């Protein structure tokens, strides 16, 4: 029996099974089996999957954004109007067949845009070229899911399902679960808060499917079986996502007001270039970047080319490594002007955390 057939059988069984306290263990086991089969589908047992021709694009700039969507929703038009890159545009489906890269500069940061070929239903199962498309999407800092405003909900759910099947979690935080394998001692479960779904029996059932019989697990919040499986699998990526509802020129103002209330959504018209300023501002917020300006000794700060860091990695050490790896070896101290320090300037060490638009002068050992 093929992997796809096994997956279909398990999904059918899960749909048939009533969800209650008595069936929790059985459902948990099915979910674990399903996750294992999907992993086999992504990376076959014979080794790593080969990259598709035209899909492996070199990563450039400070961040990478992937445009994902069904064929003919306006991804190529949007890229052409945002970055001035010509990606073949036509009124029929499947015009774009390989990844088309573009680049925009916004608030001093260089952002790479990738127009990925249209996803079709069943992409995670290898249909069309969806497998390679989603593999590139896994490497992005942010995903734009481009939807046709006239059929957004249907397409949104289908694309989310395809991405979820590939281990991409949209607008979610990694589960607060500590998982550590050990040599002996059985399964030890600690819960910081009361659990509604997971108990020791269910945890043991899921771990047994992975042939893990000795492990320490700490649940720091009310977790689900899916969260535990994600942690055990260890190959999930958590990516922020914005839903772009394109072709708003075809709907009424009243409908637009309703659409604006949907979370993580930005209504646009790629053809008429409507609402691009709101799109770029939301993009900057979701990318979570901060700009640090350099100041050579005895000169004015250089505000034209900031060093762009991610908000989670913005210490002086990260700043030095972004410029060149050798700087940190000669580092003595840094002078910082900006909102991250009390005095202007202030002498700081390499552990100091910077804020957006700080000015930094590095002083090396003599």
């Amino acid at each position: 029996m093929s992997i796809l057939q096994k997956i279909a059988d398990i999904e059918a069984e899960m749909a048939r099974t009533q969800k209650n306290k008595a069936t929790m263990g059985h459902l948990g086991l099915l979910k674990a089996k399903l996750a294992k089969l999907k992993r086999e589908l992504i990376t076959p047992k014979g080794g790593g999957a080969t990259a598709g021709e035209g899909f492996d694009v070199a990563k450039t700039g400070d961040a990478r954004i992937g445009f994902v969507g069904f064929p003919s929703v306006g991804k190529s038009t949007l890229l052409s109007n945002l970055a001035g890159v010509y990606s073949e545009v036509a009124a029929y489906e499947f015009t774009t067949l390989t990844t088309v890269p573009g680049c925009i500069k916004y608030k001093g940061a260089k952002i790479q845009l990738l127009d990925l070929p249209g996803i079709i239903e069943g992409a995670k199962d290898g249909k069309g070229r969806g497998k390679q498309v989603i593999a590139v999407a896994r490497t992005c800092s942010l995903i734009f899911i481009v939807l046709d405003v006239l059929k957004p909900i249907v397409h949104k759910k289908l694309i989310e399902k395809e991405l979820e099947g590939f281990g991409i979690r949209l607008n979610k935080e990694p589960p607060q679960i500590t998982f550590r394998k050990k040599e002996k001692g059985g399964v030890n479960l600690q819960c910081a808060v009361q659990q509604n779904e997971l108990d020791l029996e269910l945890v043991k059932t899921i771990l047994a499917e992975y042939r893990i019989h000795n492990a320490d697990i700490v649940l720091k919040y009310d977790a689900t079986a899916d969260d535990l499986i994600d942690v055990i699998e260890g190959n999930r990526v958590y990516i922020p996502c914005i839903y772009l509802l394109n072709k708003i020129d075809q709907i009424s103002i009243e409908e637009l007001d309703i659409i604006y209330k949907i979370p993580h959504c930005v209504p646009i018209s790629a053809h008429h270039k409507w609402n691009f300023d709101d799109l770029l501002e939301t993009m900057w917020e979701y990318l979570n970047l901060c700009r640090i300006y350099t100041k050579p000794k005895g000169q004015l700060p250089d505000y034209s080319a900031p060093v762009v860091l991610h908000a989670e990695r913005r210490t002086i050490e990260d700043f030095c490594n972004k410029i060149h790896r050798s700087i940190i070896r000669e580092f003595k101290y840094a002078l910082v002007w900006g909102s991250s320090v009390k005095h202007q300037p202030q002498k700081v060490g390499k552990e100091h955390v910077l804020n957006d638009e700080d000015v930094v002068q590095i002083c090396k050992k003599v």
Side-chain angles (χ1 to χ4, degrees), residues 121-133:
E121 215 177 322
K124 67 180 187 302
D125 308 328
K127 289 183 190 170
R129 287 188 119 181
K131 216 174 205 184
Q132 292 109 313
V133 175

mmCIF file with all atom_site columns, all heavy atoms in Angstrom, residues 121-133:
data_model
loop_
_atom_site.group_PDB
_atom_site.id
_atom_site.type_symbol
_atom_site.label_atom_id
_atom_site.label_alt_id
_atom_site.label_comp_id
_atom_site.label_asym_id
_atom_site.label_entity_id
_atom_site.label_seq_id
_atom_site.pdbx_PDB_ins_code
_atom_site.Cartn_x
_atom_site.Cartn_y
_atom_site.Cartn_z
_atom_site.occupancy
_atom_site.B_iso_or_equiv
_atom_site.pdbx_formal_charge
_atom_site.auth_seq_id
_atom_site.auth_comp_id
_atom_site.auth_asym_id
_atom_site.auth_atom_id
_atom_site.pdbx_PDB_model_num
ATOM 1  N N   . GLU A 1 121 ? -4.207 21.896 -5.144  1.00 0.00 ? 121 GLU A N   1
ATOM 2  C CA  . GLU A 1 121 ? -4.652 21.024 -4.051  1.00 0.00 ? 121 GLU A CA  1
ATOM 3  C C   . GLU A 1 121 ? -3.896 19.698 -4.118  1.00 0.00 ? 121 GLU A C   1
ATOM 4  O O   . GLU A 1 121 ? -3.731 19.114 -5.170  1.00 0.00 ? 121 GLU A O   1
ATOM 5  C CB  . GLU A 1 121 ? -6.153 20.763 -4.211  1.00 0.00 ? 121 GLU A CB  1
ATOM 6  C CG  . GLU A 1 121 ? -6.870 20.648 -2.903  1.00 0.00 ? 121 GLU A CG  1
ATOM 7  C CD  . GLU A 1 121 ? -8.359 20.455 -3.100  1.00 0.00 ? 121 GLU A CD  1
ATOM 8  O OE1 . GLU A 1 121 ? -8.920 21.072 -4.002  1.00 0.00 ? 121 GLU A OE1 1
ATOM 9  O OE2 . GLU A 1 121 ? -8.925 19.667 -2.340  1.00 0.00 ? 121 GLU A OE2 1
ATOM 10 N N   . GLY A 1 122 ? -3.406 19.252 -2.969  1.00 0.00 ? 122 GLY A N   1
ATOM 11 C CA  . GLY A 1 122 ? -2.638 18.001 -2.954  1.00 0.00 ? 122 GLY A CA  1
ATOM 12 C C   . GLY A 1 122 ? -1.158 18.236 -3.154  1.00 0.00 ? 122 GLY A C   1
ATOM 13 O O   . GLY A 1 122 ? -0.399 17.317 -3.416  1.00 0.00 ? 122 GLY A O   1
ATOM 14 N N   . ALA A 1 123 ? -0.699 19.508 -2.993  1.00 0.00 ? 123 ALA A N   1
ATOM 15 C CA  . ALA A 1 123 ? 0.726  19.831 -3.189  1.00 0.00 ? 123 ALA A CA  1
ATOM 16 C C   . ALA A 1 123 ? 1.609  19.041 -2.230  1.00 0.00 ? 123 ALA A C   1
ATOM 17 O O   . ALA A 1 123 ? 2.663  18.538 -2.600  1.00 0.00 ? 123 ALA A O   1
ATOM 18 C CB  . ALA A 1 123 ? 0.945  21.324 -3.002  1.00 0.00 ? 123 ALA A CB  1
ATOM 19 N N   . LYS A 1 124 ? 1.145  18.902 -0.968  1.00 0.00 ? 124 LYS A N   1
ATOM 20 C CA  . LYS A 1 124 ? 1.961  18.204 0.042   1.00 0.00 ? 124 LYS A CA  1
ATOM 21 C C   . LYS A 1 124 ? 2.120  16.719 -0.294  1.00 0.00 ? 124 LYS A C   1
ATOM 22 O O   . LYS A 1 124 ? 3.028  16.057 0.174   1.00 0.00 ? 124 LYS A O   1
ATOM 23 C CB  . LYS A 1 124 ? 1.354  18.374 1.433   1.00 0.00 ? 124 LYS A CB  1
ATOM 24 C CG  . LYS A 1 124 ? 0.022  17.679 1.628   1.00 0.00 ? 124 LYS A CG  1
ATOM 25 C CD  . LYS A 1 124 ? -0.506 17.903 3.021   1.00 0.00 ? 124 LYS A CD  1
ATOM 26 C CE  . LYS A 1 124 ? -1.744 17.082 3.291   1.00 0.00 ? 124 LYS A CE  1
ATOM 27 N NZ  . LYS A 1 124 ? -2.855 17.353 2.355   1.00 0.00 ? 124 LYS A NZ  1
ATOM 28 N N   . ASP A 1 125 ? 1.214  16.191 -1.132  1.00 0.00 ? 125 ASP A N   1
ATOM 29 C CA  . ASP A 1 125 ? 1.293  14.792 -1.538  1.00 0.00 ? 125 ASP A CA  1
ATOM 30 C C   . ASP A 1 125 ? 2.097  14.622 -2.828  1.00 0.00 ? 125 ASP A C   1
ATOM 31 O O   . ASP A 1 125 ? 2.128  13.548 -3.407  1.00 0.00 ? 125 ASP A O   1
ATOM 32 C CB  . ASP A 1 125 ? -0.119 14.215 -1.746  1.00 0.00 ? 125 ASP A CB  1
ATOM 33 C CG  . ASP A 1 125 ? -1.007 14.454 -0.530  1.00 0.00 ? 125 ASP A CG  1
ATOM 34 O OD1 . ASP A 1 125 ? -0.460 14.466 0.580   1.00 0.00 ? 125 ASP A OD1 1
ATOM 35 O OD2 . ASP A 1 125 ? -2.214 14.639 -0.693  1.00 0.00 ? 125 ASP A OD2 1
ATOM 36 N N   . GLY A 1 126 ? 2.723  15.720 -3.288  1.00 0.00 ? 126 GLY A N   1
ATOM 37 C CA  . GLY A 1 126 ? 3.596  15.609 -4.459  1.00 0.00 ? 126 GLY A CA  1
ATOM 38 C C   . GLY A 1 126 ? 2.926  15.939 -5.770  1.00 0.00 ? 126 GLY A C   1
ATOM 39 O O   . GLY A 1 126 ? 3.515  15.777 -6.828  1.00 0.00 ? 126 GLY A O   1
ATOM 40 N N   . LYS A 1 127 ? 1.679  16.410 -5.738  1.00 0.00 ? 127 LYS A N   1
ATOM 41 C CA  . LYS A 1 127 ? 1.019  16.755 -7.000  1.00 0.00 ? 127 LYS A CA  1
ATOM 42 C C   . LYS A 1 127 ? 1.561  18.074 -7.535  1.00 0.00 ? 127 LYS A C   1
ATOM 43 O O   . LYS A 1 127 ? 1.935  18.954 -6.768  1.00 0.00 ? 127 LYS A O   1
ATOM 44 C CB  . LYS A 1 127 ? -0.498 16.886 -6.786  1.00 0.00 ? 127 LYS A CB  1
ATOM 45 C CG  . LYS A 1 127 ? -1.190 15.559 -6.538  1.00 0.00 ? 127 LYS A CG  1
ATOM 46 C CD  . LYS A 1 127 ? -2.682 15.771 -6.411  1.00 0.00 ? 127 LYS A CD  1
ATOM 47 C CE  . LYS A 1 127 ? -3.376 14.512 -5.927  1.00 0.00 ? 127 LYS A CE  1
ATOM 48 N NZ  . LYS A 1 127 ? -4.760 14.769 -5.570  1.00 0.00 ? 127 LYS A NZ  1
ATOM 49 N N   . GLY A 1 128 ? 1.535  18.221 -8.871  1.00 0.00 ? 128 GLY A N   1
ATOM 50 C CA  . GLY A 1 128 ? 2.056  19.447 -9.485  1.00 0.00 ? 128 GLY A CA  1
ATOM 51 C C   . GLY A 1 128 ? 3.507  19.630 -9.087  1.00 0.00 ? 128 GLY A C   1
ATOM 52 O O   . GLY A 1 128 ? 4.267  18.690 -9.002  1.00 0.00 ? 128 GLY A O   1
ATOM 53 N N   . ARG A 1 129 ? 3.896  20.899 -8.849  1.00 0.00 ? 129 ARG A N   1
ATOM 54 C CA  . ARG A 1 129 ? 5.246  21.133 -8.343  1.00 0.00 ? 129 ARG A CA  1
ATOM 55 C C   . ARG A 1 129 ? 5.150  21.669 -6.919  1.00 0.00 ? 129 ARG A C   1
ATOM 56 O O   . ARG A 1 129 ? 6.052  22.344 -6.426  1.00 0.00 ? 129 ARG A O   1
ATOM 57 C CB  . ARG A 1 129 ? 5.960  22.131 -9.250  1.00 0.00 ? 129 ARG A CB  1
ATOM 58 C CG  . ARG A 1 129 ? 6.360  21.530 -10.593 1.00 0.00 ? 129 ARG A CG  1
ATOM 59 C CD  . ARG A 1 129 ? 7.213  22.495 -11.359 1.00 0.00 ? 129 ARG A CD  1
ATOM 60 N NE  . ARG A 1 129 ? 8.526  21.914 -11.618 1.00 0.00 ? 129 ARG A NE  1
ATOM 61 C CZ  . ARG A 1 129 ? 9.475  22.570 -12.256 1.00 0.00 ? 129 ARG A CZ  1
ATOM 62 N NH1 . ARG A 1 129 ? 9.277  23.784 -12.679 1.00 0.00 ? 129 ARG A NH1 1
ATOM 63 N NH2 . ARG A 1 129 ? 10.645 22.006 -12.457 1.00 0.00 ? 129 ARG A NH2 1
ATOM 64 N N   . GLY A 1 130 ? 4.029  21.339 -6.282  1.00 0.00 ? 130 GLY A N   1
ATOM 65 C CA  . GLY A 1 130 ? 3.755  21.886 -4.957  1.00 0.00 ? 130 GLY A CA  1
ATOM 66 C C   . GLY A 1 130 ? 4.787  21.542 -3.919  1.00 0.00 ? 130 GLY A C   1
ATOM 67 O O   . GLY A 1 130 ? 5.070  22.320 -3.016  1.00 0.00 ? 130 GLY A O   1
ATOM 68 N N   . LYS A 1 131 ? 5.395  20.349 -4.024  1.00 0.00 ? 131 LYS A N   1
ATOM 69 C CA  . LYS A 1 131 ? 6.378  19.905 -3.038  1.00 0.00 ? 131 LYS A CA  1
ATOM 70 C C   . LYS A 1 131 ? 7.567  20.863 -2.986  1.00 0.00 ? 131 LYS A C   1
ATOM 71 O O   . LYS A 1 131 ? 7.989  21.288 -1.918  1.00 0.00 ? 131 LYS A O   1
ATOM 72 C CB  . LYS A 1 131 ? 6.856  18.512 -3.427  1.00 0.00 ? 131 LYS A CB  1
ATOM 73 C CG  . LYS A 1 131 ? 7.116  17.610 -2.255  1.00 0.00 ? 131 LYS A CG  1
ATOM 74 C CD  . LYS A 1 131 ? 7.450  16.231 -2.745  1.00 0.00 ? 131 LYS A CD  1
ATOM 75 C CE  . LYS A 1 131 ? 7.110  15.216 -1.681  1.00 0.00 ? 131 LYS A CE  1
ATOM 76 N NZ  . LYS A 1 131 ? 7.480  13.883 -2.044  1.00 0.00 ? 131 LYS A NZ  1
ATOM 77 N N   . GLN A 1 132 ? 8.092  21.218 -4.184  1.00 0.00 ? 132 GLN A N   1
ATOM 78 C CA  . GLN A 1 132 ? 9.244  22.137 -4.225  1.00 0.00 ? 132 GLN A CA  1
ATOM 79 C C   . GLN A 1 132 ? 8.833  23.543 -3.792  1.00 0.00 ? 132 GLN A C   1
ATOM 80 O O   . GLN A 1 132 ? 9.580  24.252 -3.148  1.00 0.00 ? 132 GLN A O   1
ATOM 81 C CB  . GLN A 1 132 ? 9.839  22.204 -5.642  1.00 0.00 ? 132 GLN A CB  1
ATOM 82 C CG  . GLN A 1 132 ? 10.497 20.914 -6.072  1.00 0.00 ? 132 GLN A CG  1
ATOM 83 C CD  . GLN A 1 132 ? 9.676  20.207 -7.131  1.00 0.00 ? 132 GLN A CD  1
ATOM 84 O OE1 . GLN A 1 132 ? 8.465  20.062 -6.991  1.00 0.00 ? 132 GLN A OE1 1
ATOM 85 N NE2 . GLN A 1 132 ? 10.303 19.755 -8.177  1.00 0.00 ? 132 GLN A NE2 1
ATOM 86 N N   . VAL A 1 133 ? 7.597  23.946 -4.163  1.00 0.00 ? 133 VAL A N   1
ATOM 87 C CA  . VAL A 1 133 ? 7.112  25.286 -3.805  1.00 0.00 ? 133 VAL A CA  1
ATOM 88 C C   . VAL A 1 133 ? 7.089  25.429 -2.288  1.00 0.00 ? 133 VAL A C   1
ATOM 89 O O   . VAL A 1 133 ? 7.584  26.411 -1.727  1.00 0.00 ? 133 VAL A O   1
ATOM 90 C CB  . VAL A 1 133 ? 5.683  25.519 -4.361  1.00 0.00 ? 133 VAL A CB  1
ATOM 91 C CG1 . VAL A 1 133 ? 5.145  26.856 -3.896  1.00 0.00 ? 133 VAL A CG1 1
ATOM 92 C CG2 . VAL A 1 133 ? 5.675  25.449 -5.870  1.00 0.00 ? 133 VAL A CG2 1
#
